[in-house]
Amino acid sequence: MNILIIGSGGREHAFAWKISQSPKIGQLFIAPGNTGTAEFGTNLEIGVADFKAIRKAVLDKKIDMVVVGPEVPLVEGIHDFFLADELLKLVPVIGPVRRGAMLEGSKDYAKEFMMRYSIPTAAYYSVTKDNLEQGISFIHSLKAPYVLKADGLAAGKGVLIIENVDEAEQVLRKMLGGMFGQASETVVIEEFLTGIECSVFALTDGKNYKILPVAKDYKRIGVGDTGLNTGGMGAISPVPFADEIFMKKVEERIVIPTVNGLHSDGIEYKGFIFFGLISVNSEPFVIEYNVRMGDPETEAVILRLKSDLVDLFEGVANGDLADRQLDIDADSAVTVMLVAGGYPGAYEKGDVITDMDKVSGSILFHAGTRISGNDVVTNGGRVLSVSSKGKDFKEALKLSYQNASKIQFKNMYFRKDLGFDL
Ligand code: AMP
Ligand code: GLY
């Protein structure tokens, strides 16, 4: 089977690594891919939302399945584009249709969905310019801090948590005034929940589902979860507090009602559902939905997946996921992200990366690298993800940290305290 992966980050490198191990794989293509994915398949110079060019590649390369990594093409309707095309409609797409992708593409839609299906989540009120006064009253009815979310996609930057009530009111006005462009024409105001977060992933064919290994990601740049938010500084799987009792609650109160709710709404959802959860006194609440795998969680979770990922994807496509085998390694897996100095602010690109060949016992997934002459050089804020397994997360982290410190590039930085909170 020929497979095309859409995307260019560490998550897609991890997919390529895993998919290339499948006995079912024929040729593997990645659009646009990165230095790491090139080791397992052919990179195609095509943007993730260039549907016309993707169509041409699928036909030219005789692609049998498309696996979508990031949210943007899903929210823009890549799956619907395939279904509407005579020549593409029989090529399965792993990733939901546009209406399913709205769970990530519109926070207002996601909240309304959760309310309708009694899925535990923070209290909220959605505001546009037309009901600003009611929005301000809602803010005043809450206790600090105040959570304001741009409704639409804002590259992970659309959530603001504000301590002061007057400032919250001002920021609400700014958001509605175009602070995040169209994405904040609607703003979701939420009650603040206090707890510890984790990421739960399910794969579904629209009726059946499989729950993949749970993970925790570390979003802040600084030690002790301080400083600015990043695309993710590392991840750990499993998460000690997400024990069997907690995961049973997650399955019964969140996963099942979500899968059934989508089905009742007439949405044939085929792909990953990412539940961004918070445990409040051991009770799970949904903070957000994403309609894809997490990054960097994938770079840890995938190491624990013993089953053939292509077989699971076939189950998604054929609607017989229930008959496919999901085996998960009891060991822990972690990933540590190496980033460019200055990130998530301004940082340099083009610095030569050396000593990657000295890494042993860990896997390197490329996030932002590029080939320049005979060198591999940095090409993004998040550069490389060092993934390892161990009998517990501490052992796995030790290995990732040992290998991380062998790699060198100018102003390389990584967090040395992952797992500090567990
Ligand atoms: P989101 O993009 O919706 O995942 O939000 C980004 C981050 O903001 C989350 O990972 C949480 O740390 C935080 N957050 C979002 N909503 C809430 C909430 N209702 N209560 C507390 N923290 C929140
Ligand atoms: N790690 C969080 C995300 O992928 O959105």
Side-chain angles (χ1 to χ4, degrees), residues 273-338:
I273 312 177
F274 170 158
F275 304 86
L277 304 181
I278 188 163
S279 166
V280 181
N281 302 320
S282 302
E283 304 299 328
F285 288 78
V286 177
I287 289 276
E288 64 164 350
Y289 283 113
N290 296 309
V291 297
R292 51 174 174 80
M293 281 299 289
D295 194 343
E297 290 96 325
T298 305
E299 293 95 297
V301 163
I302 210 135
L303 265 54
R304 299 186 57 218
L305 193 64
K306 290 203 275 190
S307 313
D308 179 359
L309 187 56
V310 176
D311 182 62
L312 290 165
F313 286 160
E314 274 185 333
V316 170
N318 297 344
D320 60 7
L321 185 60
D323 304 332
R324 311 282 169 153
Q325 192 64 23
L326 174 66
D327 290 321
I328 292 172
D329 198 326
D331 280 357
S332 287
V334 304
T335 196
V336 175
M337 193 62 77
L338 311 184

Side-chain angles (χ1 to χ4, degrees), residues 229-291:
N229 257 324
T230 70
M233 296 299 292
I236 286 176
S237 173
V239 185
F241 76 83
D243 56 14
E244 224 173 286
I245 299 170
F246 180 81
M247 289 306 292
K248 194 163 188 301
K249 291 178 189 169
V250 171
E251 182 165 12
E252 285 171 359
R253 300 177 194 171
I254 294 171
V255 177
I256 295 175
T258 299
V259 172
N260 290 348
L262 287 163
H263 187 69
S264 306
D265 285 358
I267 299 168
E268 201 180 11
Y269 191 112
K270 288 180 177 292
F272 294 102
I273 312 177
F274 170 158
F275 304 86
L277 304 181
I278 188 163
S279 166
V280 181
N281 302 320
S282 302
E283 304 299 328
F285 288 78
V286 177
I287 289 276
E288 64 164 350
Y289 283 113
N290 296 309
V291 297

Side-chain angles (χ1 to χ4, degrees), residues 39-276:
E39 198 187 320
F40 299 106
T42 307
N43 289 344
L44 304 174
E45 257 183 69
I46 298 175
V48 299
D50 186 348
F51 296 174
K52 269 196 191 149
I54 291 171
R55 177 181 192 276
K56 186 169 183 308
V58 167
L59 299 176
D60 288 351
K61 312 286 185 199
K62 300 190 170 34
I63 303 289
D64 302 299
M65 176 183 281
V66 177
V67 178
V68 185
E71 65 279 13
V72 168
L74 294 167
V75 172
E76 292 188 5
I78 190 169
H79 197 150
D80 311 69
F81 175 85
F82 271 63
L83 291 175
D85 188 296
E86 273 311 308
L87 296 176
L88 298 186
K89 68 181 179 195
L90 295 178
V91 179
V93 175
I94 306 302
V97 291
R98 192 200 313 254
R99 277 182 68 212
M102 290 269 285
L103 284 183
E104 178 166 359
S106 165
K107 298 210 185 266
D108 174 53
Y109 176 91
K111 293 299 274 190
E112 189 272 333
F113 176 90
M114 288 186 266
M115 289 294 148
R116 228 159 10 92
Y117 291 109
S118 305
I119 296 167
T121 189
Y124 83 109
Y125 188 76
S126 290
V127 189
T128 64
K129 278 187 176 142
D130 298 332
N131 61 347
L132 177 61
E133 290 313 314
Q134 286 95 318
I136 289 171
S137 308
F138 185 71
I139 290 180
H140 284 271
S141 76
L142 298 171
K143 283 196 229 112
Y146 308 92
V147 182
L148 302 181
K149 300 185 173 182
D151 174 55
L153 294 183
K157 297 187 169 66
V159 176
L160 300 173
I161 297 178
I162 297 159
E163 286 298 329
N164 175 286
V165 71
D166 296 323
E167 197 190 331
E169 217 182 291
Q170 275 172 26
V171 172
L172 173 62
R173 287 178 202 276
K174 274 194 205 154
M175 287 176 84
L176 293 172
M179 188 173 173
F180 296 101
Q182 271 192 2
S184 63
E185 275 176 9
T186 298
V187 173
V188 173
I189 305 170
E190 270 186 30
E191 160 199 21
F192 182 83
L193 299 176
T194 303
I196 182 158
E197 291 174 59
C198 65
S199 308
V200 168
F201 304 99
L203 186 61
T204 177
D205 61 11
K207 286 198 288 289
N208 312 289
Y209 63 86
K210 302 262 189 219
I211 297 181
L212 304 172
V214 56
K216 180 171 201 316
D217 75 338
Y218 290 82
K219 288 199 176 81
R220 304 293 193 97
I221 187 74
V223 167
D225 266 335
T226 54
L228 293 174
N229 257 324
T230 70
M233 296 299 292
I236 286 176
S237 173
V239 185
F241 76 83
D243 56 14
E244 224 173 286
I245 299 170
F246 180 81
M247 289 306 292
K248 194 163 188 301
K249 291 178 189 169
V250 171
E251 182 165 12
E252 285 171 359
R253 300 177 194 171
I254 294 171
V255 177
I256 295 175
T258 299
V259 172
N260 290 348
L262 287 163
H263 187 69
S264 306
D265 285 358
I267 299 168
E268 201 180 11
Y269 191 112
K270 288 180 177 292
F272 294 102
I273 312 177
F274 170 158
F275 304 86

